[in-house]
Amino acid sequence: MAQGKVSTMPPSSRRSTPVIKDVAQLAGVSVPTVSRYLNGTAKVSAEKREKIAQAIKLLDYKPSFVARALANKEMDSVTLLTSLSNYWATTEVNSGAEHAARDRGFLFGVTSLDGISDDEIESTINRVLSANPAGVIVSESDEIAIQVMRQIPKSVPMVLVGGSRGDAPYQVMPSEREGGRVITEYLLGLGHRNVVHVHRAEGPNNNTRTLGWRDAMKAAGIQAVEAYQIGVDLEESVELGRRLAHEDGVTAVFAGNDETAIALIKGLRDEGARVPDDVSVAGYNDQTFSRMWDPPLTSYSQNFVELGAAAFEMLYAQIEAKRAGEPLPEPECRIIEGRLVVRESTAAPHPRR
């Protein structure tokens, strides 16, 4: 047999559906070598990799997902546990993690924590782990997610998305607090002295947009007024916008997300306030519709897709090390930076008409 080539003759015991033994026989290598090639658990020489790849192609071999799971004692799959599963940011994180998992040949599943009680946490974790996933990603947005994370066995590779720095050994964080600070500093830099902040409920951590707003106001020597917390019903934000239109000294509003910003603009306009002539409004997340709004919305762009992809890659590094019997990677907290996107909804303050 020529070096780097495999025989085109099929194995003598050719089955209608080829199995891993057929691949090994045709490639002239052992079954464990083929298994290592498929699982990526150890290095296989370039020559053997080429032979195995050719044999797989000639036989049209399809690796058995279940068989590999039995060999590894776990499935080539990962599960992401998340609350606020219907939020845009959550779906973007999920999308990034799923695409990264698919690129590595892993199945990806999402388990929603929305609405579960403290009593249901253990049974939820048990259901997830009963499928023998290779690892778990937890997306932190509330206290339930934190409780779930703390109950996952340490033997299971895990990555935390969000939370406070140091909440988990392996962690990927968006630049939430930094983004809140940057966008507030931008508004202050335009000359506004009272940047009002409106936000929804935020996670129990020290990496929130509201804390970034406070950081910027404090650094500027401005006594920050209490932020307005609103719910998911956008009518609340519309009504708040109507009230803010009549408050003295309000020339700039930093909304914690783009939907809230647009609802506030509607409320301001209902009362005759012009945006940005009378009141500047900035949002957060830079969703697609932000650039198409009238006026186009200044916002802070968060790359949530990259956040999800980074979380999976950090998890995959743990999975590979565990399967190869090697030391786990050093603990890491990776920050995914965002950027300020300036559009026409913000401007320097002008006297009210």
Side-chain angles (χ1 to χ4, degrees):
M1 187 181 300
Q3 185 174 10
K5 300 293 183 181
V6 300
S7 171
T8 57
M9 295 295 293
S12 57
S13 58
R14 181 71 176 270
R15 300 168 178 82
S16 57
T17 301
V19 297
I20 193 171
K21 184 178 179 181
D22 297 328
V23 175
Q25 183 179 341
L26 187 57
V29 299
S30 67
V31 169
T33 299
V34 178
S35 179
R36 289 195 296 271
Y37 169 86
L38 293 172
N39 296 332
T41 55
K43 291 183 179 180
V44 177
S45 70
E47 179 186 349
K48 290 181 179 179
R49 290 180 66 85
E50 183 180 350
K51 289 180 179 180
I52 294 169
Q54 289 180 25
I56 288 172
K57 184 176 181 180
L58 286 170
L59 293 171
D60 193 26
Y61 170 70
K62 301 295 190 297
S64 168
F65 190 78
V66 174
R68 289 174 64 186
L70 292 173
N72 292 324
K73 309 302 183 186
E74 62 194 17
M75 300 290 276
D76 278 354
S77 68
V78 296
T79 298
L80 187 147
L81 298 106
T82 181
S83 48
L84 305 181
S85 57
N86 61 337
Y87 276 34
W88 174 80
T90 304
T91 60
E92 290 287 282
V93 170
N94 294 355
S95 175
E98 181 176 11
H99 280 79
R102 187 172 61 197
D103 288 345
R104 295 287 191 178
F106 274 62
L107 289 180
F108 178 81
V110 177
T111 295
S112 172
L113 303 176
D114 293 333
I116 73 169
S117 65
D118 291 352
D119 295 336
E120 295 173 305
I121 291 176
E122 184 175 356
S123 62
T124 299
I125 294 173
N126 287 340
R127 283 198 302 273
V128 169
L129 297 182
S130 68
N132 294 325
V136 173
I137 299 172
V138 178
S139 183
E140 185 276 308
S141 54
D142 56 20
E143 187 58 40
I144 287 291
I146 291 294
Q147 292 182 51
V148 166
M149 178 193 71
R150 290 171 179 163
Q151 293 190 35
I152 293 174
K154 295 187 182 301
S155 59
V156 177
M158 187 196 72
V159 171
L160 174 66
V161 175
S164 296
R165 184 187 288 269
D167 277 350
Y170 301 96
Q171 187 175 11
V172 181
M173 299 173 64
S175 55
E176 297 276 345
R177 186 166 185 165
E178 173 70 5
R181 181 188 64 78
V182 166
I183 207 162
T184 306
E185 286 182 346
Y186 163 72
L187 292 170
L188 293 173
L190 291 175
H192 298 281
R193 301 304 295 167
N194 182 17
V195 178
V196 173
H197 182 45
V198 181
H199 67 97
R200 293 175 181 171
E202 296 174 306
N205 62 68
N206 59 15
N207 182 39
T208 68
R209 302 162 194 186
T210 299
L211 289 173
W213 167 73
R214 293 191 186 282
D215 292 341
M217 296 291 276
K218 182 178 180 180
I222 301 171
Q223 182 66 39
V225 296
E226 193 63 35
Y228 293 91
Q229 180 172 322
I230 43 83
V232 297
D233 185 353
L234 292 177
E235 280 300 323
E236 288 185 46
S237 298
V238 173
E239 181 56 37
L240 177 57
R242 292 176 182 139
R243 298 205 311 269
L244 291 176
H246 298 288
E247 289 196 12
D248 292 336
V250 175
T251 63
V253 179
F254 162 35
N257 59 74
D258 296 333
E259 301 100 317
T260 297
I262 288 172
L264 288 165
I265 289 174
K266 182 182 186 307
L268 289 164
R269 284 176 168 170
D270 285 350
E271 299 302 305
R274 301 167 299 167
V275 177
D277 298 48
D278 298 322
V279 182
S280 286
V281 179
Y284 203 99
N285 288 334
D286 191 32
Q287 295 193 56
T288 303
F289 59 75
S290 301
R291 70 197 69 170
M292 297 182 289
W293 192 248
D294 181 25
L297 189 65
T298 291
S299 190
Y300 190 82
S301 178
Q302 289 272 63
N303 195 339
F304 291 112
V305 172
E306 181 183 346
L307 189 74
F312 175 79
E313 290 301 331
M314 187 177 289
L315 184 68
Y316 182 72
Q318 295 178 62
I319 294 169
E320 276 203 311
K322 178 184 175 184
R323 288 181 173 179
E326 298 174 351
L328 293 178
E330 288 295 318
E332 179 183 4
C333 179
R334 188 180 309 170
I335 306 294
I336 304 300
E337 299 292 344
R339 63 186 178 89
L340 176 66
V341 180
V342 177
R343 299 192 182 98
E344 289 86 342
S345 68
T346 53
H350 299 286
R352 293 283 185 98
R353 287 185 299 183

